[in-house]
Amino acid sequence: MAEKDLEKIFQDKIDNEVKIEPKDWMPDAYRKTLIRQISQHAHSEVVGMLPEANWITRAPSLKRKVALLAKVQDEAGHGLYLYSATETLGIERDETIEDLHSGKAKYSSIFNYPTLTWADIGAIGWLVDGAAIMNQVPLCRCSYGPYSRAMIRVCKEESFHQRQGFSIMLAMANGTAEQKRMAQDAINRWWWPSLMMFGPNDSESAHSAQSMAWKIKRFSNDELRQRFLDMTVPQCHLLGCEVPDPDLKWNEETGHYEMGPIDWDEFWNVVKGNGKCNRQRLRDRNAAYDNGAWVREAAMAYAEKKQQRKEATQAA
Amino acid sequence: MSTKKNWPLWEVFIRSKAGLSHRHAGSLHAADDEMALEMARDVYTRRNEGVSIWVVESKSIKASDPEDKEALFEPASDKIYRHPTFYDLPDEVKHM
């Protein structure tokens, strides 16, 4: 069949909400876009473990510690679901991981900020996971089957993450004056980076139009950011904390909040590798991988030895 | 040292409760079948999603080609007499 016909069949399927599966014909650009997006998403889950792991040993109670451990374990799992989805597109897992470790592939910039106090763990669960959920729920209906199925699992698990974060914030906000100050400080530092997680404004967004036509993306960056803002501002007020945006306004007519301008210079600076923790995150990922090399090799050697022994017994 | 660079890929199937069949949950890399089972438990059943797990090496699965879809599945689409609704019955006949 001619490429033009294949492309028409492909787009018809997408227009009719029929999922694309790994062995189906797909345009190269669709495959490449998905490999980039899903692997970046996987990297974000994996690198996202680092700022939180910083507080596992210092959690204030056993209850908070088991919850944080479970959350971080989930992030590892989410990374694995997504790496598997990437592999269905015909790229080896090693290659994907190598791209992260060399700095060629990106991950969500939010994880290049440090976690300075326990309140940061609350703010990450509430704001960062909250923004991630807002982005991920529409991805459950993404046109690529394996990505959509992975996102359904991720979203099911992720709602506990946001709740545990908000529960930490509630405890801090209703605690001592010092705890309340820490909660407000964490909000001040995580608020704007969380809003940046939705990506550049629609007018500046490079990949949006094509991704919308392919139904990889269902809503624009600004639409999702607005939803997040409308949902989160009242939650911040419920905590008795202030939103660190002097220009924030409630618009009675539209029924939406209006925010001040985002500092996109900061965003691009962190994307380009100059955030507070970019180098540390990559160094830690590389070290974890390199230090685990002997385990991967030993496990493979052991598996082969077992197999040989089994074959020898069967032969005898 | 092993000759293989990567752990092979395995497909994971999970029975969510007794009485239901195993269903594909996803895939993972592991050195051998035992390790694949252990990892499947950690990756796919952290919230009581299963009572039984199957793992099979991905390369052992033979899949039909999407290009053959029509040849394989179209012949069934015009055989409406295989469905109960094809047969008109008088209203007096109940429970059939």
Side-chain angles (χ1 to χ4, degrees), chain A residues 23, chain B residues 58-68 72-73:
Chain A
K23 285 170 180 265
Chain B
S58 307
K59 69 176 185 197
S60 306
I61 291 180
K62 173 75 180 161
S64 65
D65 189 331
E67 301 243 324
D68 298 338
L72 288 173
F73 306 115

Side-chain angles (χ1 to χ4, degrees), chain A residues 41 45 71 90 126 155 163 193 195 213 239 272 276 292:
Chain A
H41 197 157
E45 300 284 352
K71 179 179 190 291
W126 169 44
C155 286
R163 285 179 179 216
L195 289 167
L239 291 171
K272 281 175 189 142
K276 288 196 174 73

Side-chain angles (χ1 to χ4, degrees), chain A residues 255-266:
Chain A
H256 292 294
Y257 282 96
E258 288 168 6
M259 55 187 284
I262 289 178
D263 179 359
W264 292 113
D265 288 343
E266 175 184 328

Side-chain angles (χ1 to χ4, degrees), chain A residues 99-127:
Chain A
D99 283 348
L100 169 69
H101 290 173
S102 70
K104 186 180 156 206
K106 301 282 180 225
Y107 52 87
S108 182
S109 275
I110 193 88
F111 302 117
N112 292 316
Y113 291 85
T115 42
L116 304 179
T117 75
W118 173 250
D120 288 33
I121 299 304
I124 287 181
W126 169 44
L127 296 174

Side-chain angles (χ1 to χ4, degrees), chain A residues 272-312:
Chain A
K272 281 175 189 142
N274 303 316
K276 288 196 174 73
C277 302
N278 295 57
R279 258 158 285 186
Q280 186 186 338
R281 300 292 182 241
L282 271 194
R283 185 197 66 202
D284 290 350
R285 275 317 313 154
N286 273 292
Y289 190 77
D290 295 344
N291 294 335
W294 70 270
V295 180
R296 294 191 294 277
E297 280 164 24
M300 198 67 245
Y302 178 62
E304 281 173 356
K305 204 164 110 185
K306 261 200 308 190
Q307 183 63 29
Q308 282 159 11
R309 209 174 285 155
K310 203 169 135 195
E311 278 160 18

Side-chain angles (χ1 to χ4, degrees), chain A:
Chain A
M1 220 183 287
E3 176 133 338
K4 206 174 70 187
D5 299 331
L6 289 167
E7 195 137 7
K8 183 170 176 338
I9 295 171
F10 168 81
Q11 191 61 48
D12 283 350
K13 271 199 216 165
I14 288 183
D15 294 343
N16 292 312
E17 301 290 333
V18 176
K19 299 278 184 226
I20 307 299
E21 294 295 342
K23 285 170 180 265
D24 294 343
W25 186 90
M26 61 185 88
D28 266 355
Y30 178 81
R31 187 185 298 275
K32 273 189 197 135
T33 300
L34 280 172
I35 289 176
R36 194 195 66 238
Q37 179 171 336
I38 306 175
S39 64
Q40 279 185 13
H41 197 157
H43 300 329
S44 301
E45 300 284 352
V46 169
V47 177
M49 289 191 281
L50 296 170
E52 294 189 291
N54 187 32
W55 283 91
I56 290 176
T57 54
R58 288 176 279 169
S61 69
L62 193 55
K63 184 183 104 179
R64 297 291 187 197
K65 185 174 183 160
V66 291
L68 184 57
L69 265 172
K71 179 179 190 291
V72 172
Q73 194 190 11
D74 275 352
E75 308 296 4
H78 298 174
L80 288 171
Y81 308 155
L82 289 162
Y83 281 131
S84 296
T86 316
E87 273 178 291
T88 64
L89 291 157
I91 182 167
E92 289 280 317
R93 173 91 50 112
D94 279 32
E95 204 180 319
T96 317
I97 291 176
E98 170 55 32
D99 283 348
L100 169 69
H101 290 173
S102 70
K104 186 180 156 206
K106 301 282 180 225
Y107 52 87
S108 182
S109 275
I110 193 88
F111 302 117
N112 292 316
Y113 291 85
T115 42
L116 304 179
T117 75
W118 173 250
D120 288 33
I121 299 304
I124 287 181
W126 169 44
L127 296 174
V128 176
D129 287 80
I133 291 169
M134 198 59 86
N135 269 327
Q136 286 168 348
V137 167
L139 287 172
C140 295
R141 295 192 297 127
C142 158
S143 61
Y144 188 57
Y147 194 24
S148 143
R149 291 191 286 275
M151 289 323 298
I152 291 170
R153 295 188 71 92
V154 168
C155 286
K156 245 187 231 168
E157 298 178 355
E158 198 98 25
S159 64
F160 127 71
H161 298 184
Q162 198 186 11
R163 285 179 179 216
Q164 70 92 35
F166 194 71
S167 146
I168 291 173
M169 292 308 280
L170 263 179
M172 303 281 287
N174 293 313
T176 63
E178 175 66 4
Q179 286 170 327
K180 190 161 183 180
R181 195 193 58 71
M182 283 162 71
Q184 182 65 56
D185 170 60
I187 293 171
N188 293 349
R189 284 181 290 106
W190 291 95
W191 182 261
W192 288 105
S194 299
L195 289 167
M196 292 175 197
M197 281 174 71
F198 297 94
N201 289 123
D202 295 349
S203 51
E204 312 288 322
S205 184
H207 307 294
S208 278
Q210 183 61 76
S211 285
M212 290 275 215
W214 280 335
K215 292 190 181 161
I216 295 172
K217 222 175 150 135
R218 295 270 179 173
F219 301 98
S220 78
N221 295 353
D222 287 333
E223 275 177 283
L224 292 170
R225 185 165 19 241
Q226 183 64 47
R227 274 189 214 175
F228 177 73
L229 187 73
D230 289 337
M231 189 189 78
T232 312
V233 170
Q235 293 169 354
C236 189
H237 292 154
L238 192 73
L239 291 171
C241 291
E242 277 177 35
V243 176
D245 178 355
D247 298 321
L248 185 77
K249 276 194 299 276
W250 169 252
N251 186 326
E252 192 79 47
E253 254 172 54
T254 59
H256 292 294
Y257 282 96
E258 288 168 6
M259 55 187 284
I262 289 178
D263 179 359
W264 292 113
D265 288 343
E266 175 184 328
F267 175 76
W268 289 115
N269 197 34
V270 181
V271 170
K272 281 175 189 142
N274 303 316
K276 288 196 174 73
C277 302
N278 295 57
R279 258 158 285 186
Q280 186 186 338
R281 300 292 182 241
L282 271 194
R283 185 197 66 202
D284 290 350
R285 275 317 313 154
N286 273 292
Y289 190 77
D290 295 344
N291 294 335
W294 70 270
V295 180
R296 294 191 294 277
E297 280 164 24
M300 198 67 245
Y302 178 62
E304 281 173 356
K305 204 164 110 185
K306 261 200 308 190
Q307 183 63 29
Q308 282 159 11
R309 209 174 285 155
K310 203 169 135 195
E311 278 160 18
T313 326
Q314 276 164 355

